[in-house]
Amino acid sequence: MHILIVHAHPEPLSFTTALKNTAQHSFEQQGHSVEVSDLYAMNFNPVASKQDFESLSQPDYFNYALEQRHAFKQQHLAPDIQTEIEKVQRADLVIFSFPLYWTSIPAILKGWIDRVFVSGLFYGGKRFYNHGGMRGKKAMLCLTLGGRDHMFGEGSVHGPLEHYLSSLQRGTLAYVGFDVLPPFVAYHVPYISQEDRQKIVIDFEQYLQNIDDLQPLVFTLLENFDDRMNPL
Amino acid sequence: MHILIVHAHPEPLSFTTALKNTAQHSFEQQGHSVEVSDLYAMNFNPVASKQDFESLSQPDYFNYALEQRHAFKQQHLAPDIQTEIEKVQRADLVIFSFPLYWTSIPAILKGWIDRVFVSGLFYGGKRFYNHGGMRGKKAMLCLTLGGRDHMFGEGSVHGPLEHYLSSLQRGTLAYVGFDVLPPFVAYHVPYISQEDRQKIVIDFEQYLQNIDDLQPLVFTLLENFDDRMNPL
């Protein structure tokens, strides 16, 4: 396998970064190849804008998705976007490594998706969900957060974590065709002991060693919907 | 009322921008005052980083929330963050105006939240949900999207829109204490006629005229949980 890790933490000594390093080493020991997009280290620009395209098909009315399709076809995408697209194209598995900011991803990672998941390649026309452009590839989240396990779930103080992750897991990754593996979630990270952190690292190593056996999460199959996307 | 509109669309002629303008004019006609943070026009920097603080309390290990608390207390926040905080403090109602990007907010808006909703003011200790720092203020979303109404909801092709919005409505706005009003959602925008767009503008004007009568969405009440955040 070839693996891309997209990492979004500003502190190289953070536990989030330690988990990213764990994944990299574990995969390399298993004989896989690993590539990392360390968004903070790259000073990645997360703002989707006109500057993302060498030329505009509609200069008087800027429509981002339309310009993505045009620029992808003409090979007029900004070089930093093109580079990231090629990393995704090379990968069999894409891992998103981040701390949960406001029950979601940090802006620098959101912008990586906004700019890199271009219309015309990742999705377009009838190519979405199990017909999406990234079908055949896997994706997974590795995230750290401050809350405790029991604070999430139906009836809990914050409600189900899956709802907060649905924009990324369902509305983005499954939408473009990835098989989305169950996320690896490290709870209560800023408050736990070094020993408990070490236990999480060991759990993550086991998760990574068994990754081939993990069943993807179940999302939409287009075969269950008609042409107007009404349920059959 | 004093209203802050946080707007995140790169095209001044877009329908999203037209709805923002509708809100501004409608409120001004009702005798309210309105302030707009037009994030693209401001070239707002959405990346949470060390540069957000004049000095660091822990220079060797960067923890963003900890530095927010420190810098807020010391008045050492970056000037662009301080300016946005004061806008929120002045407002009785904050409106978020954006196109749905990947079933979520554009990165430039996510970064506004990451950087502006500082620990120590918006939340901290036991001050969250109905005890959050912004209690007494209202917030609402005004969003445009490409999908049709029937594509969202339980059993639909994309599932419930509320799940995708939960990071913003529950995990962010309700968490810091805002009363979150029902969102105004404009569906299928890139594909509809000028006449249908005009109908949406009229619906939105009615929504805005009745805004004082809207009941906030119901989220967590801390009184229903014990000190460890287990349900009572």
Side-chain angles (χ1 to χ4, degrees), chain B residues 113-152:
Chain B
I113 291 165
D114 290 348
R115 297 180 68 224
V116 173
F117 279 26
V118 296
S119 178
L121 174 65
F122 285 73
Y123 70 102
K126 297 274 172 189
R127 292 184 306 127
F128 57 108
Y129 287 122
N130 54 318
H131 295 262
M134 296 299 119
R135 67 192 174 283
K137 297 180 189 290
K138 294 177 183 179
M140 66 156 286
L141 315 185
C142 174
L143 61 135
T144 59
L145 54 87
R148 292 176 188 270
D149 196 348
H150 75 268
M151 297 176 185
F152 295 90

Short mmCIF file of all heavy atoms in Angstrom, two decimals, chain B residues 113-152:
data_model
loop_
_atom_site.label_atom_id
_atom_site.label_comp_id
_atom_site.label_asym_id
_atom_site.label_seq_id
_atom_site.Cartn_x
_atom_site.Cartn_y
_atom_site.Cartn_z
N ILE B 113 -13.94 31.17 13.40
CA ILE B 113 -14.36 30.59 14.68
C ILE B 113 -13.15 30.09 15.47
O ILE B 113 -13.00 30.40 16.65
CB ILE B 113 -15.37 29.44 14.43
CG1 ILE B 113 -16.69 30.03 13.92
CG2 ILE B 113 -15.59 28.63 15.71
CD1 ILE B 113 -17.63 29.02 13.32
N ASP B 114 -12.27 29.34 14.82
CA ASP B 114 -11.09 28.80 15.52
C ASP B 114 -10.32 29.91 16.23
O ASP B 114 -9.83 29.72 17.35
CB ASP B 114 -10.13 28.11 14.52
CG ASP B 114 -10.67 26.81 13.94
OD1 ASP B 114 -11.67 26.29 14.45
OD2 ASP B 114 -10.06 26.32 12.94
N ARG B 115 -10.20 31.08 15.59
CA ARG B 115 -9.35 32.15 16.13
C ARG B 115 -10.09 33.12 17.04
O ARG B 115 -9.50 33.67 17.96
CB ARG B 115 -8.68 32.90 14.97
CG ARG B 115 -7.75 32.01 14.14
CD ARG B 115 -7.11 32.79 13.00
NE ARG B 115 -6.18 33.78 13.48
CZ ARG B 115 -6.10 35.03 13.00
NH1 ARG B 115 -6.91 35.43 12.04
NH2 ARG B 115 -5.24 35.89 13.50
N VAL B 116 -11.39 33.35 16.75
CA VAL B 116 -12.13 34.42 17.46
C VAL B 116 -12.83 33.90 18.73
O VAL B 116 -12.92 34.63 19.72
CB VAL B 116 -13.15 35.08 16.50
CG1 VAL B 116 -14.05 36.06 17.24
CG2 VAL B 116 -12.40 35.77 15.35
N PHE B 117 -13.30 32.67 18.72
CA PHE B 117 -14.05 32.14 19.87
C PHE B 117 -13.06 31.70 20.95
O PHE B 117 -12.88 30.51 21.24
CB PHE B 117 -14.95 30.98 19.43
CG PHE B 117 -16.25 31.41 18.80
CD1 PHE B 117 -16.37 32.65 18.17
CD2 PHE B 117 -17.37 30.59 18.83
CE1 PHE B 117 -17.57 33.05 17.58
CE2 PHE B 117 -18.57 30.98 18.25
CZ PHE B 117 -18.67 32.21 17.62
N VAL B 118 -12.43 32.66 21.59
CA VAL B 118 -11.30 32.37 22.47
C VAL B 118 -11.75 31.77 23.80
O VAL B 118 -12.75 32.17 24.40
CB VAL B 118 -10.43 33.62 22.74
CG1 VAL B 118 -9.78 34.12 21.45
CG2 VAL B 118 -11.21 34.73 23.41
N SER B 119 -10.95 30.82 24.24
CA SER B 119 -11.10 30.24 25.56
C SER B 119 -10.87 31.34 26.60
O SER B 119 -10.01 32.20 26.42
CB SER B 119 -10.05 29.13 25.73
OG SER B 119 -10.13 28.57 27.01
N GLY B 120 -11.69 31.32 27.65
CA GLY B 120 -11.58 32.35 28.68
C GLY B 120 -12.65 33.41 28.55
O GLY B 120 -13.01 34.06 29.52
N LEU B 121 -13.19 33.58 27.34
CA LEU B 121 -14.29 34.54 27.13
C LEU B 121 -15.54 33.81 26.63
O LEU B 121 -16.61 33.89 27.23
CB LEU B 121 -13.88 35.61 26.12
CG LEU B 121 -15.01 36.57 25.72
CD1 LEU B 121 -15.45 37.41 26.90
CD2 LEU B 121 -14.57 37.47 24.56
N PHE B 122 -15.40 33.08 25.54
CA PHE B 122 -16.55 32.38 24.96
C PHE B 122 -16.93 31.15 25.79
O PHE B 122 -18.09 30.76 25.83
CB PHE B 122 -16.25 31.97 23.51
CG PHE B 122 -16.32 33.14 22.56
CD1 PHE B 122 -15.32 34.10 22.54
CD2 PHE B 122 -17.39 33.29 21.70
CE1 PHE B 122 -15.39 35.19 21.68
CE2 PHE B 122 -17.47 34.37 20.82
CZ PHE B 122 -16.46 35.33 20.82
N TYR B 123 -15.96 30.52 26.41
CA TYR B 123 -16.20 29.32 27.23
C TYR B 123 -15.01 29.17 28.16
O TYR B 123 -13.98 29.86 28.00
CB TYR B 123 -16.34 28.08 26.35
CG TYR B 123 -15.04 27.67 25.70
CD1 TYR B 123 -14.29 26.60 26.20
CD2 TYR B 123 -14.52 28.38 24.63
CE1 TYR B 123 -13.08 26.24 25.62
CE2 TYR B 123 -13.30 28.03 24.06
CZ TYR B 123 -12.60 26.97 24.55
OH TYR B 123 -11.39 26.64 23.98
N GLY B 124 -15.14 28.22 29.08
CA GLY B 124 -14.02 27.95 29.99
C GLY B 124 -14.55 27.50 31.34
O GLY B 124 -15.55 28.03 31.82
N GLY B 125 -13.90 26.51 31.94
CA GLY B 125 -14.38 25.98 33.22
C GLY B 125 -15.77 25.42 33.01
O GLY B 125 -16.00 24.61 32.12
N LYS B 126 -16.72 25.85 33.83
CA LYS B 126 -18.10 25.34 33.73
C LYS B 126 -18.97 26.24 32.85
O LYS B 126 -20.19 26.11 32.85
CB LYS B 126 -18.72 25.26 35.14
CG LYS B 126 -18.01 24.30 36.07
CD LYS B 126 -18.52 22.87 35.91
CE LYS B 126 -17.66 21.91 36.72
NZ LYS B 126 -17.96 20.49 36.46
N ARG B 127 -18.36 27.17 32.16
CA ARG B 127 -19.14 28.09 31.33
C ARG B 127 -19.27 27.55 29.91
O ARG B 127 -18.47 27.87 29.04
CB ARG B 127 -18.51 29.48 31.32
CG ARG B 127 -18.60 30.16 32.70
CD ARG B 127 -18.07 31.57 32.68
NE ARG B 127 -16.72 31.60 32.14
CZ ARG B 127 -16.32 32.37 31.16
NH1 ARG B 127 -17.14 33.20 30.59
NH2 ARG B 127 -15.07 32.32 30.74
N PHE B 128 -20.27 26.69 29.71
CA PHE B 128 -20.56 26.24 28.36
C PHE B 128 -22.04 25.88 28.26
O PHE B 128 -22.76 25.90 29.27
CB PHE B 128 -19.63 25.11 27.91
CG PHE B 128 -19.61 23.88 28.78
CD1 PHE B 128 -20.19 22.70 28.33
CD2 PHE B 128 -19.00 23.90 30.02
CE1 PHE B 128 -20.16 21.56 29.12
CE2 PHE B 128 -18.97 22.76 30.81
CZ PHE B 128 -19.56 21.59 30.35
N TYR B 129 -22.50 25.62 27.05
CA TYR B 129 -23.94 25.47 26.76
C TYR B 129 -24.72 26.62 27.42
O TYR B 129 -24.32 27.77 27.28
CB TYR B 129 -24.46 24.09 27.17
CG TYR B 129 -23.96 23.01 26.22
CD1 TYR B 129 -23.21 21.93 26.68
CD2 TYR B 129 -24.22 23.08 24.84
CE1 TYR B 129 -22.74 20.95 25.81
CE2 TYR B 129 -23.75 22.11 23.97
CZ TYR B 129 -23.02 21.05 24.46
OH TYR B 129 -22.56 20.09 23.60
N ASN B 130 -25.78 26.33 28.16
CA ASN B 130 -26.61 27.44 28.67
C ASN B 130 -25.90 28.30 29.72
O ASN B 130 -26.45 29.32 30.15
CB ASN B 130 -27.96 26.94 29.19
CG ASN B 130 -27.83 25.85 30.22
OD1 ASN B 130 -27.02 24.94 30.07
ND2 ASN B 130 -28.63 25.91 31.28
N HIS B 131 -24.67 27.95 30.07
CA HIS B 131 -23.85 28.81 30.93
C HIS B 131 -22.67 29.41 30.16
O HIS B 131 -21.74 29.94 30.75
CB HIS B 131 -23.33 28.02 32.14
CG HIS B 131 -24.43 27.56 33.05
ND1 HIS B 131 -24.78 28.24 34.20
CD2 HIS B 131 -25.29 26.52 32.95
CE1 HIS B 131 -25.81 27.61 34.77
NE2 HIS B 131 -26.13 26.56 34.04
N GLY B 132 -22.69 29.29 28.84
CA GLY B 132 -21.58 29.76 28.00
C GLY B 132 -21.43 31.28 28.03
O GLY B 132 -22.35 32.01 28.41
N GLY B 133 -20.28 31.73 27.59
CA GLY B 133 -19.95 33.14 27.65
C GLY B 133 -20.85 34.04 26.81
O GLY B 133 -20.95 35.24 27.07
N MET B 134 -21.51 33.50 25.81
CA MET B 134 -22.35 34.30 24.92
C MET B 134 -23.84 34.19 25.25
O MET B 134 -24.69 34.60 24.45
CB MET B 134 -22.11 33.90 23.45
CG MET B 134 -20.70 34.17 22.97
SD MET B 134 -20.25 35.93 23.02
CE MET B 134 -18.85 35.88 24.18
N ARG B 135 -24.16 33.69 26.45
CA ARG B 135 -25.58 33.56 26.81
C ARG B 135 -26.24 34.94 26.80
O ARG B 135 -25.59 35.95 27.12
CB ARG B 135 -25.75 32.85 28.15
CG ARG B 135 -25.25 33.60 29.34
CD ARG B 135 -25.21 32.71 30.59
NE ARG B 135 -24.58 33.41 31.69
CZ ARG B 135 -23.26 33.60 31.81
NH1 ARG B 135 -22.42 33.13 30.90
NH2 ARG B 135 -22.78 34.28 32.84
N GLY B 136 -27.51 34.95 26.38
CA GLY B 136 -28.22 36.22 26.21
C GLY B 136 -28.17 36.75 24.79
O GLY B 136 -28.94 37.64 24.43
N LYS B 137 -27.26 36.21 23.98
CA LYS B 137 -27.18 36.59 22.57
C LYS B 137 -27.82 35.51 21.70
O LYS B 137 -27.86 34.34 22.08
CB LYS B 137 -25.72 36.77 22.14
CG LYS B 137 -24.96 37.88 22.86
CD LYS B 137 -23.53 37.93 22.33
CE LYS B 137 -22.65 38.86 23.15
NZ LYS B 137 -22.98 40.28 22.98
N LYS B 138 -28.24 35.91 20.50
CA LYS B 138 -28.80 34.96 19.54
C LYS B 138 -27.83 34.77 18.37
O LYS B 138 -27.03 35.66 18.06
CB LYS B 138 -30.13 35.47 18.98
CG LYS B 138 -31.24 35.53 20.03
CD LYS B 138 -32.51 36.12 19.43
CE LYS B 138 -33.59 36.23 20.52
NZ LYS B 138 -34.83 36.81 19.99
N ALA B 139 -27.94 33.60 17.71
CA ALA B 139 -27.15 33.33 16.50
C ALA B 139 -28.03 32.56 15.53
O ALA B 139 -28.98 31.87 15.94
CB ALA B 139 -25.89 32.53 16.83
N MET B 140 -27.72 32.69 14.24
CA MET B 140 -28.44 31.90 13.23
C MET B 140 -27.58 31.72 11.99
O MET B 140 -26.67 32.51 11.72
CB MET B 140 -29.76 32.56 12.84
CG MET B 140 -29.58 33.88 12.13
SD MET B 140 -30.99 34.37 11.07
CE MET B 140 -30.81 33.27 9.66
N LEU B 141 -27.90 30.67 11.23
CA LEU B 141 -27.21 30.40 9.98
C LEU B 141 -28.12 30.78 8.81
O LEU B 141 -29.32 30.51 8.82
CB LEU B 141 -26.87 28.91 9.84
CG LEU B 141 -26.26 28.20 11.05
CD1 LEU B 141 -25.89 26.76 10.66
CD2 LEU B 141 -25.07 28.95 11.59
N CYS B 142 -27.51 31.39 7.79
CA CYS B 142 -28.19 31.60 6.50
C CYS B 142 -27.29 30.98 5.45
O CYS B 142 -26.21 31.50 5.17
CB CYS B 142 -28.38 33.09 6.24
SG CYS B 142 -29.03 33.40 4.59
N LEU B 143 -27.71 29.83 4.90
CA LEU B 143 -26.82 29.11 4.01
C LEU B 143 -27.48 28.73 2.69
O LEU B 143 -28.70 28.56 2.62
CB LEU B 143 -26.27 27.86 4.68
CG LEU B 143 -27.26 26.79 5.13
CD1 LEU B 143 -26.73 25.41 4.73
CD2 LEU B 143 -27.43 26.81 6.64
N THR B 144 -26.63 28.65 1.67
CA THR B 144 -27.07 28.22 0.34
C THR B 144 -26.41 26.89 0.03
O THR B 144 -25.30 26.62 0.49
CB THR B 144 -26.64 29.25 -0.72
OG1 THR B 144 -25.22 29.37 -0.68
CG2 THR B 144 -27.26 30.62 -0.47
N LEU B 145 -27.12 26.05 -0.74
CA LEU B 145 -26.50 24.79 -1.14
C LEU B 145 -27.04 24.33 -2.48
O LEU B 145 -28.04 24.87 -2.98
CB LEU B 145 -26.65 23.74 -0.04
CG LEU B 145 -28.04 23.42 0.49
CD1 LEU B 145 -28.67 22.35 -0.38
CD2 LEU B 145 -27.94 22.90 1.92
N GLY B 146 -26.37 23.34 -3.05
CA GLY B 146 -26.72 22.88 -4.39
C GLY B 146 -27.81 21.81 -4.41
O GLY B 146 -28.60 21.74 -5.34
N GLY B 147 -27.86 20.99 -3.35
CA GLY B 147 -28.82 19.88 -3.32
C GLY B 147 -30.26 20.36 -3.19
O GLY B 147 -30.51 21.52 -2.88
N ARG B 148 -31.18 19.44 -3.44
CA ARG B 148 -32.60 19.74 -3.26
C ARG B 148 -33.04 19.33 -1.85
O ARG B 148 -32.45 18.44 -1.24
CB ARG B 148 -33.44 18.96 -4.26
CG ARG B 148 -33.27 19.38 -5.70
CD ARG B 148 -34.09 18.44 -6.59
NE ARG B 148 -33.84 18.64 -8.00
CZ ARG B 148 -34.54 19.49 -8.76
NH1 ARG B 148 -35.51 20.21 -8.25
NH2 ARG B 148 -34.25 19.61 -10.05
N ASP B 149 -34.11 19.93 -1.41
CA ASP B 149 -34.71 19.67 -0.11
C ASP B 149 -34.88 18.16 0.17
O ASP B 149 -34.49 17.66 1.23
CB ASP B 149 -36.09 20.38 -0.12
CG ASP B 149 -36.68 20.52 1.27
OD1 ASP B 149 -36.15 19.90 2.21
OD2 ASP B 149 -37.68 21.24 1.40
N HIS B 150 -35.42 17.41 -0.83
CA HIS B 150 -35.74 16.01 -0.59
C HIS B 150 -34.49 15.12 -0.49
O HIS B 150 -34.59 13.94 -0.16
CB HIS B 150 -36.68 15.46 -1.68
CG HIS B 150 -36.00 15.21 -3.00
ND1 HIS B 150 -35.95 16.16 -4.00
CD2 HIS B 150 -35.34 14.14 -3.49
CE1 HIS B 150 -35.30 15.67 -5.04
NE2 HIS B 150 -34.92 14.44 -4.76
N MET B 151 -33.30 15.67 -0.78
CA MET B 151 -32.07 14.89 -0.67
C MET B 151 -31.54 14.84 0.76
O MET B 151 -30.55 14.17 1.03
CB MET B 151 -31.00 15.47 -1.60
CG MET B 151 -31.37 15.40 -3.06
SD MET B 151 -30.12 16.19 -4.07
CE MET B 151 -30.89 16.08 -5.70
N PHE B 152 -32.18 15.59 1.66
CA PHE B 152 -31.76 15.61 3.07
C PHE B 152 -32.89 15.10 3.95
O PHE B 152 -34.06 15.21 3.59
CB PHE B 152 -31.36 17.04 3.48
CG PHE B 152 -30.14 17.53 2.75
CD1 PHE B 152 -30.27 18.21 1.55
CD2 PHE B 152 -28.87 17.27 3.23
CE1 PHE B 152 -29.15 18.65 0.86
CE2 PHE B 152 -27.74 17.69 2.54
CZ PHE B 152 -27.88 18.39 1.35
#
